[in-house]
């Protein structure tokens, strides 16, 4: 029987997008069925394997996506979202494999479920790109998400604060406007897909917030104050309104966490 540590590492070291999706979903299913041991017994790689495409550029060198609801602009947006979901697979399995030994078994269950969700989201977006005459890898992408993982590789509380509670929470803020853009362009298929993804992302932010609160409580730390400290220390982008307060609140990420950081 393999262990969850080895299984998570295998996901991270799989470069091919289709193979990564299939392995991520298989590992999550194997864990759920009790076919994978609980030990987090191997180190996670510093960087996951990546396919030859897309070309990874610094964020400042990314080409403009185009304006309005043109086909080109919609493809560029879907490609950017697909890349986010592709990296999010690795973020979830790295969370489990890197930090799982320090948490209850339910922590592993939550993040493996998140990883399976992200794999499903990527598959949906890549399928939609192909239906529009494109595919994942056809456009460049940036590596900012994994930079956040490297910045927080030493501290599970920092990882929880930055990835689900900043980056995924930001997706809750901006996705409604993105959905509206697709609807205005008459692309109801993409809009419906993004609504489905957003419902899952609320659950992901909720998992991050739950485990952050649990860990800070165990350490007798004020959760909101420690969150603010970690964000100021590890996140360079700033926490910017407008906020989707209702979605954040549904995920347990209340205003006392982020309002003092708003710029």
């Amino acid at each position: 029987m393999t262990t969850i540590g080895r299984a998570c590492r295998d996901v991270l070291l799989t470069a091919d997008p289709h193979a990564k999706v299939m392995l991520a979903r298989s590992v999550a299913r194997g864990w759920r069925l009790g076919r994978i041991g609980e030990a987090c017994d191997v180190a996670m790689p510093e960087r996951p394997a990546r396919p030859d495409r897309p070309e990874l550029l610094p964020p400042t060198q990314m080409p403009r996506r185009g304006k309005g609801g043109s086909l080109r602009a919609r493809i560029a947006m879907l490609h950017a979202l697909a890349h986010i979901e592709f990296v999010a697979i690795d973020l979830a399995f790295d969370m489990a494999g890197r930090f799982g030994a320090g948490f209850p078994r339910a922590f592993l269950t939550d993040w493996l479920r998140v990883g399976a969700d992200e794999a499903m989201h990527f598959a949906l977006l890549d399928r939609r790109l192909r239906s529009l005459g494109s595919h994942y890898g056809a456009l460049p992408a940036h590596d900012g998400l994994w930079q956040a993982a490297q910045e927080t590789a030493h501290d599970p509380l920092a990882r929880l604060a930055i990835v689900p509670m900043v980056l995924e929470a930001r997706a809750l803020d901006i996705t409604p406007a993105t959905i509206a853009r697709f609807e205005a362009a008459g692309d109801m298929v993409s809009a419906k897909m993004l609504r489905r993804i957003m419902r899952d992302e609320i659950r992901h932010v909720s998992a991050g917030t739950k485990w952050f609160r649990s860990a800070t409580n165990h350490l007798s730390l004020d959760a909101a104050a420690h969150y603010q400290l970690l964000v100021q220390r590890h996140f360079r982008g700033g926490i910017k309104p407008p906020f989707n307060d209702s979605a954040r609140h549904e995920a347990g990420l209340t205003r006392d966490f982020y309002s003092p950081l708003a710029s």
Side-chain angles (χ1 to χ4, degrees):
M1 177 186 288
T2 192
T3 64
I4 197 59
R6 294 177 186 277
C8 288
R9 185 181 64 179
D10 288 346
V11 172
L12 288 159
L13 293 179
T14 299
D16 178 75
H18 177 72
K20 187 185 289 285
V21 165
M22 297 301 292
L23 183 57
R25 299 181 77 172
S26 175
V27 169
R29 183 171 60 253
W31 173 260
R32 190 172 64 250
L33 296 175
R35 297 172 180 168
I36 298 176
E38 191 170 337
C40 296
D41 53 348
V42 295
M44 295 300 104
E46 181 178 344
R47 290 188 59 84
R50 288 285 177 259
D52 293 337
R53 291 286 184 271
E55 178 186 8
L56 297 179
L57 300 175
T60 55
Q61 294 182 19
M62 286 291 293
R64 295 183 180 275
R65 291 179 188 155
K67 296 181 179 180
S70 69
L71 178 61
R72 176 174 174 269
R74 286 184 285 125
I75 286 174
M77 175 59 73
L78 291 168
H79 191 279
L81 293 172
H83 181 66
I84 289 169
E85 299 293 348
F86 184 70
V87 178
I89 301 170
D90 289 324
L91 288 170
F93 281 90
D94 187 75
M95 180 83 84
R98 186 178 298 271
F99 300 122
F103 288 86
R105 178 184 174 90
F107 179 90
L108 289 166
T109 299
D110 280 351
W111 292 108
L112 294 172
R113 183 184 181 187
V114 170
D117 285 347
E118 308 293 19
M120 181 266 288
H121 297 166
F122 171 80
L124 288 173
L125 288 160
D126 186 45
R127 189 181 311 147
R128 182 61 179 152
L129 282 168
R130 292 178 185 278
S131 75
L132 295 173
S134 188
H135 63 276
Y136 178 63
L139 300 173
H142 71 77
D143 202 30
L145 280 177
W146 195 257
Q147 290 171 8
Q150 292 177 308
E151 172 70 23
T152 59
H154 64 291
D155 182 356
L157 284 174
R159 176 68 64 84
L160 289 165
I162 302 305
V163 175
M165 298 174 71
V166 170
L167 298 176
E168 290 204 74
R170 183 59 181 160
L172 302 183
D173 300 334
I174 64 176
T175 299
T178 305
I179 291 170
R181 285 174 57 189
F182 280 101
E183 288 177 336
D187 188 346
M188 302 305 175
V189 173
S190 297
K192 181 179 179 181
M193 185 184 307
L194 294 182
R195 278 199 192 88
R196 175 181 178 179
I197 290 172
M198 184 173 168
R199 293 305 310 170
D200 290 341
E201 299 296 350
I202 291 173
R203 192 175 68 251
H204 301 173
V205 177
S206 178
T209 305
K210 176 184 75 174
W211 288 110
F212 187 87
R213 287 182 182 274
S214 173
T216 50
N217 181 64
H218 180 72
L219 296 170
S220 299
L221 297 170
D222 180 277
H226 196 60
Y227 170 79
Q228 292 152 21
L229 173 69
L230 292 172
V231 172
Q232 290 170 329
R233 182 178 295 165
H234 296 292
F235 186 67
R236 301 180 183 89
I239 308 299
K240 301 173 183 177
F243 300 116
N244 187 344
D245 290 321
S246 62
R248 285 169 172 254
H249 189 271
E250 185 179 347
L253 185 59
T254 49
R255 288 187 61 85
D256 57 312
F257 279 80
Y258 58 87
S259 287
L261 297 170
S263 59

